[in-house]
Amino acid sequence: MTWQAVARKDFRDAVRSKWLWALSLLFVGVFTLPPILVFYLEMGATPPQGESGTSDAFVYLMKQGTSVLIPLIAIVVAYASITQERESGSLKLLLSLPHSREDVVFGKVLGRAGVLSLPIAIGFAVAAVVILLTSLDFQFANFALFAVLTVLLGVVFVGLSVGISAAASTGRRAMVAVIGFFFWFVILWNSFANQTVNLLNRYLDLAGQTQMELVLLLKLLNPTQAYKTLIDSFLLESAVQSRVMTFGFMRQQAAAQAFGDSLPVYLSNGFVVSYLLLWLLVPVAVGYWVFENADL
């Protein structure tokens, strides 16, 4: 297996094309502007009565934006990773070297994940320095968990995009598919979860608590929602509170009453992480299977 060589080449190509530097500048700007503008200039310079905020406020504010921005950039970085080489003919040259199709798929996942993860890490590192220069109380553990989960979300969408790129015969089809997934996850998924449970309730007459648990389970199968609730779970007092936050304001009280003080094991943080990882593993495996059997 020479997937490491494929990954190194993909990463070096990104460096030569300045993709890496452009993304680094983007993430440094995105992650540092809030602490500078919102916290330091408006709050940190003159904390009321000697009090100051914490970096948890930065994490709480940023998670909604990163849940949209990171998947979108991951898609742009990775959707053409294999189709571009397939359409240009360079894929046959690559496969004529001692690389298998498995090496190409997994090497592309690793290479593109590096192209996205390193700039995210740089952005977080610079943001941490800026926060330390302000009056904010730096909560390192929560900040580090936020950074790790953000990198994981990016890698998940890189895997999804490379899987689609491996399965698609053209770049246009890959682009349409990844954009469809993006809108499905970001805009349509919650409606899908609610309507699915309403339909099941129509035929099965589900109890109120069962309805809430099913809606929550479907919501957590969305990688962006899984990412946000995992972040909330270490910012809030309990995982139950973070799950209640996934419901709209009008339903949060009913959700809190339905869940009580504990959650079923399939709604716990460990299972939510596994749901997130499935969106990395399954699309790559399916994409590889289609690519392995495709006539190039």
Side-chain angles (χ1 to χ4, degrees), residues 67 153 185 189-190 216 218-230 232 242-243 245-247 272:
S67 70
L153 180 68
F185 287 136
W189 189 281
N190 283 348
L216 180 56
L218 290 175
K219 286 175 179 282
L220 297 180
L221 292 177
N222 180 335
T224 61
Q225 188 62 64
Y227 163 77
K228 287 188 289 186
T229 199
L230 286 171
D232 284 338
S242 72
R243 304 300 186 269
M245 293 288 288
T246 63
F247 290 86
V272 175

Side-chain angles (χ1 to χ4, degrees), residues 216-262:
L216 180 56
L217 176 61
L218 290 175
K219 286 175 179 282
L220 297 180
L221 292 177
N222 180 335
T224 61
Q225 188 62 64
Y227 163 77
K228 287 188 289 186
T229 199
L230 286 171
I231 292 171
D232 284 338
S233 68
F234 61 76
L235 292 179
L236 302 175
E237 293 182 359
S238 67
V240 176
Q241 289 187 8
S242 72
R243 304 300 186 269
V244 171
M245 293 288 288
T246 63
F247 290 86
F249 178 76
M250 301 297 291
R251 300 185 68 189
Q252 287 183 0
Q253 185 174 359
Q257 292 175 348
F259 298 137
D261 297 328
S262 61

Side-chain angles (χ1 to χ4, degrees), residues 47-120:
Q49 299 178 350
E51 297 179 356
S52 62
T54 74
S55 57
D56 285 352
F58 165 80
V59 174
Y60 188 80
L61 288 174
M62 289 295 293
K63 75 173 192 308
Q64 189 65 41
T66 51
S67 70
V68 177
L69 179 67
I70 298 299
L72 185 61
I73 294 178
I75 285 171
V76 172
V77 166
Y79 87 91
S81 56
I82 294 177
T83 54
Q84 187 176 35
E85 295 207 36
R86 189 170 180 171
E87 291 179 318
S88 68
S90 60
L91 183 60
K92 291 184 178 179
L93 176 61
L94 184 63
L95 291 173
S96 69
L97 300 171
H99 302 307
S100 66
R101 298 191 188 196
E102 182 181 1
D103 296 333
V104 172
V105 173
F106 291 103
K108 291 290 184 181
V109 172
L110 188 63
R112 300 298 164 115
V115 171
L116 183 67
S117 300
L118 183 58
I120 293 175

Side-chain angles (χ1 to χ4, degrees), residues 11-213:
F11 188 81
R12 288 169 182 165
D13 289 346
V15 174
R16 280 195 290 267
S17 67
K18 298 183 174 57
W19 257 106
L20 197 68
W21 313 117
L23 289 177
S24 298
L25 289 174
L26 172 64
F27 288 129
V28 167
V30 168
F31 292 135
T32 56
L33 275 179
I36 291 174
L37 297 177
V38 178
F39 296 107
Y40 182 71
L41 295 179
E42 294 182 2
M43 296 175 60
T46 54
Q49 299 178 350
E51 297 179 356
S52 62
T54 74
S55 57
D56 285 352
F58 165 80
V59 174
Y60 188 80
L61 288 174
M62 289 295 293
K63 75 173 192 308
Q64 189 65 41
T66 51
S67 70
V68 177
L69 179 67
I70 298 299
L72 185 61
I73 294 178
I75 285 171
V76 172
V77 166
Y79 87 91
S81 56
I82 294 177
T83 54
Q84 187 176 35
E85 295 207 36
R86 189 170 180 171
E87 291 179 318
S88 68
S90 60
L91 183 60
K92 291 184 178 179
L93 176 61
L94 184 63
L95 291 173
S96 69
L97 300 171
H99 302 307
S100 66
R101 298 191 188 196
E102 182 181 1
D103 296 333
V104 172
V105 173
F106 291 103
K108 291 290 184 181
V109 172
L110 188 63
R112 300 298 164 115
V115 171
L116 183 67
S117 300
L118 183 58
I120 293 175
I122 293 172
F124 271 102
V126 177
V129 172
V130 174
I131 291 174
L132 286 171
L133 294 175
T134 70
S135 61
L136 294 173
D137 183 15
F138 187 51
Q139 302 292 318
F140 174 76
N142 289 348
F143 187 87
L145 283 170
F146 177 43
V148 169
L149 286 172
T150 302
V151 169
L152 177 59
L153 180 68
V155 173
V156 165
F157 273 86
V158 165
L160 174 68
S161 302
V162 172
I164 291 174
S165 189
S169 57
T170 66
R172 177 174 297 181
R173 291 180 180 179
M175 183 175 64
V176 170
V178 294
I179 290 175
F181 270 102
F182 175 78
F183 281 102
W184 176 253
F185 287 136
V186 174
I187 298 175
L188 302 176
W189 189 281
N190 283 348
S191 177
F192 157 75
N194 290 323
Q195 293 303 322
T196 299
V197 174
N198 287 340
L199 183 64
L200 289 174
N201 185 51
R202 186 180 305 171
Y203 295 102
L204 301 178
D205 192 22
L206 302 173
Q209 181 174 353
T210 304
Q211 291 182 46
M212 285 291 182
E213 290 177 356

